Amino acid sequence: MSLSTTSRSRAHHGRGFGRGRAAALLLVLAGLTASCGGQNTPQNLGAVPIPSTPASAAPVTAGPGHAQLVAIGDPVHLDLGSQQGQITATGPDLAVTGPAAGGKPPEQSKGTVTVVLKVADGSRSLDPADLSATDELGKPIALAADAAAVTATPGHDATLHLSGTFAAGHATLSWNAAGKPLATWDFEVELD
């Protein structure tokens, strides 16, 4: 009878993968590395990728009978049958940017909303009478334009600045063309 000095390691049931399972895991990992162009880069198999936000969202499309509600600053693509364009409202740029000397936030502030209309072809008028603003209770906000109707042509945008007094809280700005709504911008006036 001969005694052997060689010992084999053996995984016991419930105490590890065992040689077969460990080899299979190594083969799978090697296959993943090879499928990545053969580069020997570490794989983070447990991480969930988080998609990045697009640089800018595609504008929604508005047309007669298909009005859009968007956040202030979002462009709206216009499909007016034979004419295409884009309209954007930004602001309001407020005169008051924080609490008064006593520390109490103001209840309202003068401010300006800017509306820009672009067209791809032809011309399109932007009339201040077609723009209206309301506060969170649905009450109209009086707006004064810096110009009468302005006209957009390809390469020459029509820009209106609308001044008013905005109360703290929710508000909207709407653009109606031929008496029908096309776009409404939703915004929050924060004075604290």
Side-chain angles (χ1 to χ4, degrees):
M1 170 191 296
S2 70
L3 292 175
S4 172
T5 57
T6 309
S7 69
R8 292 186 179 191
S9 82
R10 186 176 128 200
H12 297 286
H13 182 67
R15 293 189 182 170
F17 286 113
R19 182 172 254 161
R21 289 183 185 159
L25 179 60
L26 286 174
L27 287 174
V28 169
L29 289 174
L32 286 173
T33 302
S35 69
C36 295
Q39 298 174 0
N40 195 8
T41 56
Q43 301 292 317
N44 191 350
L45 300 176
V48 176
I50 299 172
S52 58
T53 57
S56 62
V60 296
T61 299
H66 189 71
Q68 292 291 339
L69 172 65
V70 295
I72 196 88
D74 286 351
V76 175
H77 174 77
L78 301 172
D79 183 355
L80 304 172
S82 63
Q83 191 175 47
Q84 303 293 309
Q86 182 173 297
I87 188 165
T88 307
T90 57
D93 294 320
L94 301 170
V96 175
T97 58
K104 183 179 177 186
E107 294 180 11
Q108 60 186 17
S109 173
K110 292 186 183 288
T112 303
V113 173
T114 302
V115 181
V116 178
L117 174 65
K118 302 175 182 187
V119 293
D121 52 16
S123 65
R124 180 83 182 184
S125 179
L126 180 60
D127 190 335
D130 293 335
L131 293 154
S132 61
T134 58
D135 67 12
E136 64 188 13
L137 300 175
K139 295 180 182 174
I141 299 171
L143 298 173
D146 65 343
V150 291
T151 302
T153 57
H156 299 284
D157 302 343
T159 302
L160 279 176
H161 298 95
L162 306 168
S163 299
T165 300
F166 298 90
H170 178 81
T172 59
L173 175 73
S174 296
W175 180 46
N176 299 303
K180 296 186 178 181
L182 278 176
T184 298
W185 292 271
D186 185 66
F187 59 98
E188 192 74 24
V189 177
E190 295 182 6
L191 301 172
D192 53 0

